[in-house]
């Protein structure tokens, strides 16, 4: 059998359908950081994010096993859409609007696995990330969501538009206004990153 990390997502899905559980392990390993980070930024609760992350992959497994997976070549956007929909379902269930707030429970940038650097650089990086998170929290929900999906999940604007059920122009506009608002906040508060 080929080395799993060299295979594309579609090849891994095909192998998983044939009963190779290691193919699913590689898919999860390959995409876990982006999916989990996006969930955590939306729900701001690491325990809830872990639950939704697990539910996302359970839904993915069930869909693939039931032969209903049709997103050829687009596994990550499909997985992100499932995760996003599960977050929306959670907030609908508790009748709240999704809010993205900074949390002290866990540093999201630790999850992303930055390379080791000296203590001073780590401190400066952490402070910059904290400033960005605080400014993101001040943006309107729609702008914040597009920025997170674009920069943290690395989705295209078409994928963001599909995921949030708006036009590409609307997604682009939200991104533009979000960045303008971030720049304005940085200027007003004289923040340097």
């Amino acid at each position: 059998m080929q080395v799993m990390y060299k295979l594309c997502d579609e090849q891994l899905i095909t192998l998983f359908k044939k009963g190779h559980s290691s193919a699913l392990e590689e898919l999860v390993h390959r995409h876990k950081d982006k999916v989990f980070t996006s969930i955590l930024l939306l729900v701001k609760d690491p325990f809830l994010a872990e639950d939704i992350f697990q539910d996302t992959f359970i839904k993915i497994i069930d869909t693939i096993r039931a032969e209903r997976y049709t997103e050829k070549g687009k596994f990550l956007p499909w997985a992100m859409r499932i995760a996003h929909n599960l977050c929306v379902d959670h907030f609908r269930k508790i009748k709240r609007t999704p809010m993205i707030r900074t949390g002290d429970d866990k540093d999201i940038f630790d999850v992303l696995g930055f390379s080791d650097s000296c203590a001073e650089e780590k401190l400066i990086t952490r402070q910059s990330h904290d400033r960005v998170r605080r400014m993101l929290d001040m943006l309107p929900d729609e702008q914040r969501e597009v920025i997170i999906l674009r920069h943290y999940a690395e989705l295209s604007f078409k994928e963001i538009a599909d995921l949030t059920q708006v036009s590409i122009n609307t997604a682009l506009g939200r991104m533009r206004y979000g960045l303008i608002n971030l720049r304005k906040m940085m200027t007003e508060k004289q923040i340097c990153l």
Side-chain angles (χ1 to χ4, degrees):
M1 179 179 283
Q2 296 176 327
V3 179
M4 292 291 175
Y5 73 89
K6 292 183 178 181
L7 301 176
C8 72
D9 291 348
E10 292 308 311
Q11 292 169 315
L12 291 171
I13 290 167
T14 301
L15 284 174
F16 176 65
K17 286 180 181 179
K18 293 179 181 177
H20 298 281
S21 60
S22 58
L24 177 67
E25 289 174 28
E26 177 59 28
L27 273 173
V28 172
H29 177 73
R30 187 175 290 177
H31 300 295
K32 68 181 178 185
D33 288 342
K34 288 181 182 178
V35 174
F36 183 79
T37 299
S38 295
I39 294 169
L40 184 58
L41 285 168
L42 288 170
V43 301
K44 293 319 264 173
D45 177 344
F47 299 110
L48 177 59
E50 188 66 38
D51 288 345
I52 293 174
F53 177 80
Q54 290 175 5
D55 290 345
T56 299
F57 275 92
I58 288 170
K59 193 164 191 158
I60 287 169
I61 292 166
D62 291 344
T63 303
I64 292 172
R65 283 187 176 156
E67 301 287 330
R68 293 189 323 256
Y69 175 75
T70 58
E71 303 291 323
K72 303 292 184 208
K74 298 183 179 190
F75 177 79
L76 181 60
W78 176 67
M80 295 295 293
R81 188 167 56 247
I82 290 171
H84 180 270
N85 289 343
L86 288 172
C87 290
V88 169
D89 290 347
H90 166 74
F91 286 112
R92 280 186 186 140
K93 197 183 316 180
I94 61 171
K95 298 193 187 291
R96 287 194 330 194
T97 304
M99 293 294 293
I100 299 175
R101 298 183 307 263
T102 58
D104 296 324
D105 300 338
K106 190 172 185 181
D107 186 351
I108 193 64
F109 295 99
D110 289 341
V111 176
L112 296 175
F114 286 89
S115 61
D116 288 333
S117 57
C118 73
E120 184 178 342
E121 288 176 3
K122 285 182 180 179
L123 178 63
I124 291 169
T125 301
R126 187 177 312 120
Q127 289 172 343
S128 293
H129 292 161
D130 288 343
R131 287 184 197 116
V132 170
R133 278 195 298 273
R134 283 194 299 272
M135 288 188 304
L136 276 173
D137 287 341
M138 292 187 245
L139 291 176
D141 293 342
E142 297 84 11
Q143 293 173 13
R144 183 180 322 121
E145 182 178 41
V146 171
I147 290 173
I148 288 169
L149 292 173
R150 180 70 177 147
H151 289 286
Y152 291 100
E154 298 177 3
L155 296 181
S156 70
F157 283 106
K158 180 175 181 352
E159 293 165 340
I160 293 169
D162 292 343
L163 185 63
T164 57
Q165 298 177 341
V166 298
S167 71
I168 291 176
N169 286 340
T170 300
L172 287 166
R174 288 176 179 175
M175 177 65 128
R176 179 175 178 265
Y177 288 116
L179 293 174
I180 288 170
N181 287 334
L182 286 174
R183 279 188 206 106
K184 199 181 296 182
M185 283 183 238
M186 290 175 67
T187 303
E188 288 171 1
K189 298 177 190 238
Q190 298 179 347
I191 296 173
C192 292
L193 297 179

